[in-house]
Amino acid sequence: MRILVSGGAGFIGSHTVDALVARGCHEVSVLDDLSSGKREQVNGAARFHRVDLREAGAVAAAIERERPEVIFHFAAQMDVRRSVADPAFDAGVNLVGFLNLMESARRVGLRRVVFSSTGGAIYGEQEQFPCDESHRCRPVSPYGVAKLATESYLFFYRTEYGIDYAALRYANVYGPRQDPHGEAGVVAIFCGRILEGRAATIFGDGEQTRDYIYVGDVVRANLAALETEASGIFNVGTGIETSVNALWAQLAEVSGANAPPVRAARRAGEQMRSAISSALAAAKIGWRPEVTLRDGLARTFRYFAEHEASSA
Ligand SMILES: NC(=O)c1ccc[n+]([C@@H]2O[C@H](COP(=O)([O-])OP(=O)(O)OC[C@H]3O[C@@H](n4cnc5c(N)ncnc54)[C@H](O)[C@@H]3O)[C@@H](O)[C@H]2O)c1
């Protein structure tokens, strides 16, 4: 199958490209502007197009060349605070960029889209824990608004053009290759601090919770969404709430870190609790998380430690 992966030089995208290539039966291409992704993370078996999604002409040229039957859409402006500070920029990448992709691809036989939505920002403060896909969506950031709007656009493309989709609402994804210097990705940030011998910072009382899902589990969900041809919206998380304090304690244990974290003021607008149920994904695409938090943290810390050793 001809598959184009937008954002395939990034964290989740590059792991997914590796898994698609490993299947051995797909022709895989990557479209990425390398704004946060890395060229060296792009699997050598995939054709690479350095293209900014906002450039409609360049997107159309890449799509014309690749003629994808399936698109995995990962490319995004994913800094929540930047989306609040500059909603037009966020919409330029996350909405107009997505539409540039779809408007080109629908003309060359696109059949299916697997979209990386979010199970955090899309729901806003939750009322049920864990929540399923029927929970009310009340995003409080332009980033969350754009994810919700993209899901609506996908519904439109299915209705109007018969292009099927799976929108996967990921919980907080962590694992190897996540940017330790980014704004999001607390596990990668903590690993980076531990390896630099610096104290990690915990904002607020540290009792805010998230649902942490290992990237290998997310890649399996992505492939299951492709291979089962599942249709609709699916949460992809563990259903387990973990506080930042508890996350730090587990990471300190697996890494041997002993410097206590520094405490800082709570960040304005930060969501307090988040956990999502993946019962629907289990029923429809046969997907369940497999990697425990402890195991995932150990694998992730090992990756960063080895990476640092080899780049030193
Ligand atoms: N990491 C998480 O916890 C998480 C949770 C929920 C949803 N998601 C979604 O998953 C997707 C991938 O996230 P990630 O964590 O791998 O992030 P990432 O930053 O590693 O990957 C995003 C990729 O998109 C590329 N990109 C950004 N703007 C672009 C543009 N204008 N044109 C072309 N390429 C562009 C970047 O260079 C990067 O390679 C995103 O859509 C994100 O919103 C991630």
Side-chain angles (χ1 to χ4, degrees):
M1 206 178 294
R2 288 188 308 280
I3 301 178
L4 180 126
V5 182
S6 81
F11 164 47
I12 304 170
S14 66
H15 284 292
T16 304
V17 169
D18 289 347
L20 289 168
V21 167
R23 282 286 196 266
C25 53
H26 302 304
E27 207 181 308
V28 186
S29 58
V30 167
L31 185 155
D32 199 300
D33 70 349
L34 302 182
S35 53
S36 64
K38 297 193 182 83
R39 180 68 180 90
E40 63 270 23
Q41 287 181 172
V42 179
N43 191 297
R47 264 191 306 278
F48 180 67
H49 300 267
R50 185 171 185 172
V51 168
D52 184 332
L53 278 178
R54 293 172 298 169
E55 307 280 342
V59 170
I63 292 290
E64 188 56 47
R65 163 88 174 81
E66 299 298 342
R67 308 182 78 77
E69 296 157 274
V70 175
I71 289 181
F72 279 83
H73 183 51
F74 298 106
Q77 182 313 105
M78 56 172 294
D79 181 334
V80 174
R81 277 180 294 171
R82 183 171 187 185
S83 82
V84 173
D86 192 349
F89 175 77
D90 184 83
V93 177
N94 292 351
L95 292 178
V96 178
F98 167 73
L99 293 174
N100 287 339
L101 203 56
M102 293 300 289
E103 282 302 290
S104 300
R106 74 172 176 80
R107 296 186 162 88
V108 295
L110 179 67
R111 291 198 297 108
R112 183 169 178 74
V113 178
V114 180
F115 170 56
S116 53
S117 189
T118 171
I122 215 162
Y123 294 117
E125 269 321 328
Q126 288 176 217
E127 282 152 10
Q128 288 99 37
F129 298 89
C131 78
D132 66 22
E133 296 80 355
S134 66
H135 191 284
R136 196 151 49 137
C137 291
R138 280 183 305 192
V140 291
S141 64
Y143 169 79
V145 171
K147 290 291 188 194
L148 187 56
T150 303
E151 291 182 356
S152 297
Y153 276 121
L154 285 167
F155 182 77
F156 155 74
Y157 279 101
R158 181 166 72 192
T159 310
E160 184 68 21
Y161 301 109
I163 298 167
D164 208 356
Y165 69 93
L168 304 181
R169 292 180 174 169
Y170 304 150
N172 275 61
V173 189
Y174 71 95
R177 296 185 192 161
Q178 193 164 28
D179 183 1
H181 307 291
E183 177 264 354
V186 65
V187 172
I189 294 170
F190 280 176
C191 288
R193 288 294 181 94
I194 293 168
L195 288 163
E196 288 162 14
R198 294 165 60 206
T201 305
I202 294 182
F203 297 96
D205 65 3
E207 287 305 303
Q208 60 275 44
T209 64
R210 295 291 180 270
D211 180 338
Y212 294 98
I213 179 90
Y214 186 66
V215 69
D217 279 335
V218 169
V219 169
R220 281 193 308 102
N222 293 338
L223 263 64
L226 173 74
E227 290 161 3
T228 60
E229 305 219 327
S231 195
I233 295 170
F234 303 93
N235 284 343
V236 171
T238 66
I240 301 168
E241 278 184 84
T242 304
S243 71
V244 179
N245 290 330
L247 179 78
W248 168 259
Q250 288 207 44
L251 188 58
E253 219 177 288
V254 300
S255 67
N258 42 29
V262 173
R263 303 280 165 174
R266 180 172 176 237
R267 292 196 284 194
E270 191 182 3
Q271 204 168 328
M272 278 316 292
R273 294 178 65 193
S274 178
I276 55 176
S277 162
S278 301
L280 189 65
K284 299 284 185 201
I285 62 175
W287 176 86
R288 283 176 190 79
E290 286 175 356
V291 180
T292 62
L293 183 59
R294 197 187 164 77
D295 190 17
L297 290 177
R299 291 188 205 184
T300 305
F301 184 74
R302 205 177 312 128
Y303 164 84
F304 281 112
E306 283 166 4
H307 203 68
E308 183 170 85
S310 65
S311 60

